[in-house]
Every structure is written in structure tokens, then in C-alpha cells.
């Protein structure tokens, strides 16, 4: 999992997530099912001296909670495969012109 940019509507609701403890609590309470367990598994696999990787994982899971409470983010997740494919085809066709 990699860190993602913020979604415009992500500021609508955001529990405190400034520390690992707060992030764990937020994942348990507000995250998608299984997020807390996946977060712990990813952290367990990281060398603590690799602070860049620890930060990337923490940012990615903070992003997941922001995404869940973003109107735009949830709308993007709800899109069908066909809808996404059509948008990509349209953008590729526009870029080819």
C-alpha cells in the first residue's frame, strides 16, 4: 500500500490520527473492515530503522479513513468497472488527438 494524495472532500470528518495509538483507534472504530489487522501486519513486516516505510504505511492507512469519509472518495469507489474503462478510453482518445 502506498501513500495517496488527499481527496478534496476528505476534510469533512477526520478522527484524530497524529500518533500510532490514535491511528490504531481510528482504524478500529472508523476504518474499513480488516484495516486494523492489515495495518498491524504491514507494520510487523517493517524494519523499525526504515522510518520512510513506517511513515508511508501510516499515511496510507490515514488516507483510507479520510477516503471513507469523503463523499468524492466513496463515489469513486462505487464506480463500476465499465464506467472507469469508458473514462479511460475517452481520456486516451483525447490525448491521442
Amino acid at each position: 500500500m502506498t501513500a495517496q494524495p488527499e481527496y478534496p472532500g476528505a476534510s469533512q470528518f477526520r478522527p484524530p490520527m497524529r500518533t500510532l495509538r490514535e491511528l490504531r483507534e481510528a482504524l478500529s472504530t472508523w476504518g474499513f473492515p480488516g484495516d486494523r489487522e492489515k495495518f498491524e501486519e504491514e507494520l510487523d513486516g517493517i524494519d523499525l530503522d526504515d522510518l520512510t516505510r513506517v511513515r508511508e504505511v501510516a499515511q496510507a492507512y490515514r488516507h483510507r479513513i479520510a477516503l471513507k469519509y469523503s463523499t468524492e472518495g466513496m463515489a469513486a469507489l462505487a464506480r463500476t468497472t465499465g464506467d472507469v474503462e469508458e473514462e479511460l478510453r475517452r481520456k486516451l482518445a483525447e490525448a491521442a488527438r
Side-chain angles (χ1 to χ4, degrees):
M1 185 171 272
T2 60
Q4 302 294 317
E6 295 295 327
Y7 280 91
S11 62
Q12 294 170 357
F13 169 80
R14 184 173 295 184
M17 296 182 284
R18 291 177 304 276
T19 66
L20 286 175
R21 172 184 271 182
E22 288 178 344
L23 179 54
R24 284 182 171 108
E25 289 173 10
L27 287 167
S28 296
T29 305
W30 305 105
F32 291 98
D35 274 357
R36 169 73 188 265
E37 293 78 12
K38 291 175 193 171
F39 174 70
E40 297 298 345
E41 286 175 17
E42 285 196 52
L43 280 184
D44 284 346
I46 299 171
D47 182 337
L48 285 179
D49 290 329
D50 188 354
L51 296 179
T52 299
R53 185 69 186 124
V54 171
R55 184 183 70 241
E56 289 172 350
V57 169
Q59 287 174 340
Y61 281 91
R62 287 174 70 192
H63 170 74
R64 287 181 62 77
I65 292 172
L67 177 68
K68 185 174 182 181
Y69 289 94
S70 161
T71 306
E72 296 87 355
M74 289 308 290
L77 287 176
R79 292 178 65 187
T80 66
T81 301
D83 183 39
V84 173
E85 287 174 349
E86 176 58 34
E87 180 181 348
L88 290 173
R89 280 190 198 98
R90 181 178 46 76
K91 287 182 178 182
L92 287 171
E94 290 172 2
R97 293 182 198 166

